[in-house]
Amino acid sequence: MPSQSRTKGDVYVDFENCLLTLSRRVDDLEDQFINRLRKGVNIPSISAYTSHRHHVFAMAEFIVREMESLGIKARLKPLGKEGKSDFDLSPMIIGCYGKAKSKPTILVYSHYDVQPATLEDGWMCNPWELTDVNGVLYGRGTSDDKGPLLGWLCAIEAFQKAEIELPVNLVFCLEGMEENGSVGFRKALQEEADTALPHIDAVCITDTTWTSNSHPSLTRGLRGVLFYIITVTGAQRDAHSGIFGGHLSEPMTDVAKLMGSLVDSKGKILVPGIYDEVKAVSEKEYTAIESLHITPEDIDPGLGGRNLHKNMADTLLARWRLPSLSLHRIENATLSAGAVTTIPARIQGKFSIRTVADMTTDNIERAVQNHIEEQFKQLNSMNTMELACVHRSSWFFEDIDHWNYQAAKVATRTVWGVEPDITCEGGSIPIALDLKEILNRNVLLLPMGKPSDGAHSINGNLNGIKVFGTYLFEVSKMCKTPK
Amino acid sequence: MPSQSRTKGDVYVDFENCLLTLSRRVDDLEDQFINRLRKGVNIPSISAYTSHRHHVFAMAEFIVREMESLGIKARLKPLGKEGKSDFDLSPMIIGCYGKAKSKPTILVYSHYDVQPATLEDGWMCNPWELTDVNGVLYGRGTSDDKGPLLGWLCAIEAFQKAEIELPVNLVFCLEGMEENGSVGFRKALQEEADTALPHIDAVCITDTTWTSNSHPSLTRGLRGVLFYIITVTGAQRDAHSGIFGGHLSEPMTDVAKLMGSLVDSKGKILVPGIYDEVKAVSEKEYTAIESLHITPEDIDPGLGGRNLHKNMADTLLARWRLPSLSLHRIENATLSAGAVTTIPARIQGKFSIRTVADMTTDNIERAVQNHIEEQFKQLNSMNTMELACVHRSSWFFEDIDHWNYQAAKVATRTVWGVEPDITCEGGSIPIALDLKEILNRNVLLLPMGKPSDGAHSINGNLNGIKVFGTYLFEVSKMCKTPK
């Protein structure tokens, strides 16, 4: 029986055959693909260190050369200076491949900068040399996010070598500051969206991984985050505790009490009203979570810390579905030496709240403000207190019935032979929301593979490339373009 | 009328005349005295910086030269290495002046090292150049403790120039590590006391100042201190709060709550039993405190902090007569980067308790241990907690009816024309206790002058020298030596 097929312009596409051909071509090209990744890993494009900024630029140029060699029209978009420094922000790379009106257009987001890495961090090999250990490739960026980024270029190469026309148009939006707060991204995307980007039908972000180390998944949700600083000020400078202890009002006392009032030792947030907008977990939802292919080992990367919850489903709910409040630091905020026996004059407590659907930022801010003010009042302190919410980014929760997710689901099932889990992440990826808000399109978080840190199996990578290709076929089937 | 006088060996002492002559000689020698202090201030003998250790040694050699020029037999006693480093500890200086069996012997303690000082700290002039601004001498160490130390040498010079025999024997015990924890002091003093020191009748420490800026005082009490570290450990390394927030047991939560349970925002210690051994303040005591010549300005050196108490007497009681508990620092105790959005794996809370007569260290330690263990139990935390008392030194409260204090009282009244206040200090001077315990003698804390930081009026300094001289006369009158 012939598989489902249809005519797209001049191209007759026999999907099953195409997929088979494409898959073989991916396997054939293994050496070239690994070589491409090797060149990428060699460049220590650490965006957090200004000393490495030239490497980030070198990485951008490497990517553009690779894109151009595949016929992708690529350009660097400068993002200006970093803060008030003389350092240029790493540029955005905009790439366009295909512009057929008859095809849907997918915007692919990825980033070409990486986190720092040294042998001292526990790397078993030079993190800037791609190293094959029993079929597993080690090197900084193989997972996050050079592997997935270059995976897209490999997918295009496979299409070309297989002589199959790409069934969609692709727009690449590649960032070089992701590991340094995505500085400049939103503004640049806005500019491009207003003037230069073609019509986009959906977005595909490859900057996530599976939740499990053995079972594929698609990510549909991310938690938001509000970051707070409590500042309590007493004197103008630190005081000698021998001299002043007992008659000077001490800011640290207030900060310890205020911070301690926010959450209990079992992780329950003590701010009144904070759970009001969080939907109760339904039985159906709980059962769905229980049925995911995630093991305790998948979610504890050897931290050795105690889990507050007894079972996997409760743990995943705590990570994905419920807000959390973490106390990060309590710091001496004056410039004085901060000797250990002083009474600090000014103390800052830093904490953050991870938010989930359907919490509204305004309501959370109001609840936290009320709670802290009430607590401070009860302390009857003579110090002054300030509470500031210095960063807020909202949660992300995407519609998985959209063809974009359905295409990814079919593609993953086709390549891996199993139904992907639909999962969330506990962290925040602000650019997912930026892309959603600015482009107003469905945003798919399509992982390339396992969550291992810095390592990827060669087979996994090849399958990841096949998923990308298959996803494009499915998009071309499911997306009702042109409108 | 001739003043009270008596024969001491061959020396006929007309006290009143002698004091007058001595006093004039001190005034005459002003330039020489200032010059000696200038040379001392020039040497940046900061003991806390190993980079400055050679300056501390240079200062020791300067002092020894000055002592020898006055006929004091002086030697350097090496104290070994600092910890496991290659740095030599600054030596102890032992000096002996006079050994007449007929005279009492006073051990004078002082230190020749200083705290760091830079213009950036707010100094109006180079802290290592003695600067005369309208008759006030500025320079690091003029108050603490080079001024008083050299003041003793000046006093001896004045006796010599006045051709008056010193009415007592002096033993100098001068330290060069006082501002760096008095490392090695106690052991060295013990060795000297066992083998080399002559019989000592009493001790005079000049490492304190008046409490008031206008009225002389003698110090009879010091608070003790117990320094604690609470360590709470969760995971092996810091964790991402987005990923793990809500299901990882967080050490910071426990530390904030434990620290917050120790004291309230009004300075009241919340550890049950902590006040049990502290005697209630009697009406007589309160009245005595009220009558001291101390103003609010005397005890607040421009800190701008809020005072927990409404009046001076309550403030002084809080500083001298009651225990206090200060929370110093809450620190990330792992070696990881400590980014602000992580869940710290291990947190240390540091606090100290200032103790007063008649608190016993064992009882305090038991009370704190019980309280913290009980609080931690109530938290129902999954983390592990350790409490360690890492430093303890007892309070000091001296018998002021002893001739040593009475001699200082008369001397101060004679020179300044007013009765000195008898005061305490809120801080701790462990060497005061060391001297008391090892030598088993009355230990007088005899201030040279005002508590201004880094500055001393020239007249005040000269009067301080006169007090030293007069004190020696009074000692020779009051001390029933030889036994």
Side-chain angles (χ1 to χ4, degrees):
Chain A
M1 287 276 289
S3 65
Q4 187 195 358
S5 61
R6 62 174 178 166
T7 299
K8 263 265 158 163
D10 297 336
V11 191
Y12 180 80
V13 186
D14 177 335
F15 289 110
E16 205 162 276
N17 270 341
C18 282
L19 287 181
L20 202 63
T21 311
L22 188 71
S23 175
R24 283 188 188 139
R25 204 55 74 224
V26 168
D27 290 332
D28 295 343
L29 289 166
E30 176 179 330
D31 288 348
Q32 270 136 287
F33 290 171
I34 291 175
N35 205 36
R36 182 176 280 131
L37 182 58
R38 184 186 316 283
K39 287 181 193 163
V41 167
N42 280 347
I43 305 170
S45 52
I46 305 168
S47 55
Y49 300 161
T50 48
S51 61
H52 281 61
R53 191 60 52 83
H54 61 289
H55 292 302
V56 190
F57 274 80
M59 187 68 197
E61 279 150 26
F62 165 73
I63 301 279
V64 168
R65 278 197 308 276
E66 291 293 307
M67 290 170 92
E68 285 173 343
S69 74
L70 295 167
I72 304 168
K73 282 188 186 143
R75 64 188 160 90
L76 295 179
K77 181 181 172 67
L79 303 191
K81 300 287 181 188
E82 185 167 3
K84 287 172 181 170
S85 79
D86 262 350
F87 286 97
D88 288 314
L89 294 168
S90 326
M92 183 183 273
I93 302 173
I94 306 285
C96 291
Y97 190 66
K99 52 178 183 180
K101 291 226 161 107
S102 58
K103 296 179 188 173
T105 303
I106 297 291
L107 182 140
V108 170
Y109 167 90
S110 181
H111 64 89
Y112 61 87
D113 61 322
V114 289
Q115 286 276 349
T118 63
L119 283 173
E120 291 72 42
D121 294 342
W123 279 76
M124 56 188 288
C125 53
N126 181 344
W128 312 111
E129 294 283 349
L130 193 70
T131 307
D132 179 343
V133 180
N134 301 324
V136 178
L137 296 174
Y138 290 86
R140 173 57 93 208
T142 51
S143 298
D144 182 12
D145 200 23
K146 290 177 178 175
L149 191 164
L150 296 171
W152 276 104
L153 304 191
C154 296
I156 291 174
E157 188 178 359
F159 271 98
Q160 292 176 349
K161 295 279 163 68
E163 297 183 342
I164 303 171
E165 188 183 329
L166 213 66
V168 303
N169 305 313
L170 288 179
V171 173
F172 288 95
C173 177
L174 310 176
E175 190 187 358
M177 292 297 288
E178 200 274 343
E179 304 290 8
N180 192 6
S182 289
V183 188
F185 176 79
R186 192 183 166 99
K187 183 166 164 280
L189 178 68
Q190 183 73 66
E191 288 168 8
E192 288 294 315
D194 288 349
T195 59
L197 288 190
H199 171 86
I200 306 289
D201 291 291
V203 175
C204 177
I205 295 179
T206 55
D207 192 19
T208 58
T209 63
W210 300 349
T211 303
S212 158
N213 269 295
S214 55
H215 196 92
S217 55
L218 302 178
T219 313
R220 66 99 50 109
L222 301 162
R223 291 199 289 189
V225 62
L226 282 85
F227 193 88
Y228 279 95
I229 301 180
I230 299 175
T231 306
V232 176
T233 306
Q236 283 153 22
R237 53 189 164 88
D238 291 2
H240 188 293
S241 63
I243 302 176
F244 293 98
H247 62 92
L248 190 70
S249 183
E250 305 193 9
M252 180 66 102
T253 313
D254 299 341
V255 171
K257 284 174 192 285
L258 293 177
M259 294 285 273
S261 78
L262 289 163
V263 60
D264 75 13
S265 292
K266 291 294 185 194
K268 190 185 161 203
I269 306 176
L270 304 175
V271 177
I274 204 85
Y275 293 104
D276 286 359
E277 294 174 309
V278 183
K279 270 202 216 81
V281 178
S282 68
E283 211 169 308
K284 189 179 153 200
E285 201 178 349
Y286 196 88
T287 311
I289 291 256
E290 276 182 315
S291 71
L292 295 177
H293 302 81
I294 297 171
T295 66
E297 293 68 37
D298 288 333
I299 67 156
D300 182 340
L303 279 173
R306 282 72 167 182
N307 193 332
L308 296 166
H309 306 285
K310 290 219 168 60
N311 66 51
M312 205 57 216
D314 288 332
T315 300
L316 292 176
L317 284 169
R319 182 181 286 200
W320 298 343
R321 182 57 171 75
L322 296 170
S324 64
L325 191 155
S326 294
L327 309 179
H328 302 300
R329 296 179 79 80
I330 294 180
E331 294 169 340
N332 195 334
T334 62
L335 287 175
S336 48
V340 294
T341 55
T342 55
I343 298 169
R346 193 156 160 261
I347 288 286
Q348 288 191 319
K350 298 179 177 175
F351 67 95
S352 68
I353 301 175
R354 299 282 166 171
T355 62
V356 295
D358 301 292
M359 297 170 82
T360 50
T361 304
D362 280 357
N363 286 347
I364 305 164
E365 287 198 48
R366 200 174 308 115
V368 172
Q369 188 79 36
N370 287 346
H371 171 75
I372 289 290
E373 277 174 9
E374 179 57 33
Q375 291 290 315
F376 188 67
K377 208 167 131 192
Q378 282 177 25
L379 294 181
N380 204 11
S381 169
M382 302 172 92
N383 300 314
T384 56
M385 190 276 295
E386 256 187 295
L387 176 71
C389 181
V390 295
H391 172 81
R392 50 181 78 73
S393 63
S394 191
W395 45 269
F396 170 93
F397 199 71
E398 191 52 286
D399 170 18
I400 55 169
D401 294 328
H402 190 276
W403 55 259
N404 196 26
Y405 270 84
Q406 292 303 316
K409 209 169 160 182
V410 173
T412 306
R413 185 176 59 217
T414 304
V415 173
W416 290 100
V418 291
E419 195 71 24
D421 283 341
I422 303 298
T423 64
C424 295
E425 288 197 4
S428 310
I429 306 182
I431 52 101
L433 257 188
D434 289 342
L435 285 159
K436 182 152 188 69
E437 287 173 0
I438 292 173
L439 301 177
N440 195 23
R441 290 290 177 274
N442 184 281
V443 173
L444 162 71
L445 298 164
L446 175 60
M448 192 183 193
K450 300 179 183 185
S452 45
D453 184 25
H456 260 284
S457 74
I458 293 172
N459 285 338
N461 273 330
L462 295 180
N463 268 3
I465 294 167
K466 292 174 193 172
V467 169
F468 292 168
T470 312
Y471 160 70
L472 298 183
F473 276 114
E474 295 303 327
V475 164
S476 76
K477 284 196 277 182
M478 297 183 191
C479 173
K480 305 293 172 270
T481 301
K483 283 160 200 167
Chain B
M1 288 277 289
S3 67
Q4 189 197 357
S5 61
R6 61 172 177 169
T7 302
K8 264 262 156 158
D10 298 334
V11 191
Y12 179 81
V13 185
D14 178 333
F15 289 110
E16 204 161 276
N17 271 341
C18 283
L19 288 181
L20 203 61
T21 313
L22 188 71
S23 175
R24 282 190 189 139
R25 205 54 77 221
V26 168
D27 290 333
D28 295 344
L29 289 165
E30 176 179 330
D31 288 350
Q32 271 135 287
F33 291 172
I34 291 176
N35 205 36
R36 181 176 279 131
L37 182 57
R38 186 185 315 283
K39 287 182 193 161
V41 166
N42 280 346
I43 305 170
S45 53
I46 304 168
S47 55
Y49 300 161
T50 48
S51 61
H52 281 59
R53 190 61 52 81
H54 62 290
H55 293 302
V56 190
F57 273 79
M59 186 69 195
E61 279 150 27
F62 165 72
I63 301 279
V64 167
R65 279 196 307 276
E66 291 294 305
M67 290 170 94
E68 286 173 344
S69 74
L70 294 166
I72 305 169
K73 283 187 185 144
R75 62 188 161 90
L76 294 179
K77 180 181 173 69
L79 303 190
K81 301 287 183 190
E82 184 167 4
K84 288 174 180 168
S85 79
D86 263 347
F87 286 97
D88 289 313
L89 293 168
S90 327
M92 182 181 275
I93 302 173
I94 306 286
C96 291
Y97 190 65
K99 52 179 183 178
K101 292 229 161 106
S102 58
K103 295 179 188 171
T105 303
I106 297 293
L107 182 138
V108 170
Y109 167 89
S110 181
H111 64 90
Y112 60 87
D113 61 321
V114 289
Q115 286 274 350
T118 62
L119 284 174
E120 291 72 43
D121 294 342
W123 279 76
M124 57 187 287
C125 53
N126 181 342
W128 312 110
E129 294 284 350
L130 193 68
T131 308
D132 179 343
V133 180
N134 302 323
V136 178
L137 296 174
Y138 291 85
R140 174 57 93 206
T142 52
S143 299
D144 179 14
D145 200 26
K146 290 177 179 176
L149 191 163
L150 296 171
W152 276 105
L153 304 190
C154 295
I156 291 174
E157 188 178 1
F159 272 97
Q160 292 175 348
K161 295 280 164 70
E163 297 185 341
I164 302 170
E165 187 184 328
L166 213 67
V168 304
N169 306 312
L170 288 180
V171 172
F172 289 95
C173 178
L174 309 177
E175 190 188 357
M177 291 297 288
E178 200 274 344
E179 304 291 8
N180 191 6
S182 288
V183 187
F185 176 80
R186 191 183 168 100
K187 182 165 165 281
L189 178 68
Q190 184 74 63
E191 288 168 7
E192 289 295 313
D194 289 348
T195 59
L197 287 191
H199 171 85
I200 305 288
D201 291 292
V203 175
C204 177
I205 294 178
T206 55
D207 191 22
T208 58
T209 63
W210 302 347
T211 303
S212 159
N213 270 296
S214 54
H215 196 91
S217 55
L218 302 177
T219 313
R220 66 99 50 109
L222 302 162
R223 292 199 288 189
V225 62
L226 282 84
F227 193 89
Y228 279 95
I229 301 180
I230 299 174
T231 306
V232 176
T233 306
Q236 282 153 23
R237 53 189 164 89
D238 292 0
H240 188 295
S241 64
I243 301 176
F244 293 98
H247 62 93
L248 191 69
S249 182
E250 305 194 8
M252 180 66 102
T253 313
D254 298 342
V255 171
K257 284 174 191 285
L258 293 177
M259 294 286 272
S261 78
L262 289 162
V263 61
D264 75 13
S265 293
K266 289 296 184 194
K268 191 186 160 201
I269 307 176
L270 303 175
V271 177
I274 204 87
Y275 293 103
D276 285 0
E277 295 175 308
V278 183
K279 270 201 216 80
V281 178
S282 68
E283 211 170 305
K284 191 180 151 197
E285 202 178 348
Y286 197 89
T287 311
I289 292 256
E290 277 183 314
S291 71
L292 295 176
H293 302 82
I294 296 170
T295 66
E297 292 68 37
D298 288 333
I299 67 158
D300 183 339
L303 281 172
R306 283 72 166 182
N307 193 330
L308 296 166
H309 306 285
K310 290 219 169 61
N311 66 51
M312 205 58 219
D314 289 331
T315 301
L316 292 175
L317 285 168
R319 182 182 287 199
W320 299 343
R321 184 58 172 72
L322 296 170
S324 65
L325 191 154
S326 293
L327 308 179
H328 302 301
R329 296 179 77 81
I330 295 180
E331 293 168 340
N332 195 334
T334 62
L335 287 175
S336 48
V340 294
T341 54
T342 55
I343 299 170
R346 194 156 160 261
I347 289 287
Q348 289 191 319
K350 298 179 177 175
F351 68 95
S352 69
I353 301 175
R354 300 283 167 169
T355 62
V356 295
D358 300 289
M359 297 169 82
T360 51
T361 304
D362 282 356
N363 287 346
I364 305 164
E365 289 197 47
R366 200 174 308 117
V368 173
Q369 187 80 36
N370 288 346
H371 172 74
I372 289 291
E373 277 173 9
E374 179 56 33
Q375 291 289 317
F376 186 68
K377 207 169 133 190
Q378 281 177 27
L379 294 181
N380 205 10
S381 168
M382 302 172 93
N383 300 312
T384 56
M385 190 276 296
E386 254 187 298
L387 176 71
C389 180
V390 295
H391 172 80
R392 50 182 78 72
S393 64
S394 191
W395 45 269
F396 171 92
F397 198 70
E398 191 51 286
D399 170 18
I400 56 169
D401 295 328
H402 191 278
W403 56 259
N404 195 26
Y405 269 83
Q406 291 304 314
K409 209 169 161 183
V410 174
T412 306
R413 185 175 58 217
T414 303
V415 174
W416 290 100
V418 292
E419 196 71 26
D421 283 342
I422 303 297
T423 63
C424 296
E425 287 196 4
S428 311
I429 306 184
I431 53 101
L433 257 188
D434 289 342
L435 286 159
K436 183 155 188 65
E437 288 172 359
I438 292 173
L439 303 176
N440 195 24
R441 290 291 177 274
N442 185 280
V443 173
L444 163 70
L445 299 163
L446 176 59
M448 193 186 193
K450 301 179 183 183
S452 43
D453 183 26
H456 260 283
S457 74
I458 294 172
N459 285 339
N461 272 332
L462 296 180
N463 268 3
I465 293 167
K466 291 173 192 173
V467 169
F468 292 168
T470 313
Y471 160 71
L472 298 182
F473 276 115
E474 295 302 329
V475 164
S476 76
K477 283 195 279 181
M478 295 181 188
C479 174
K480 304 294 175 271
T481 302
K483 282 157 200 168

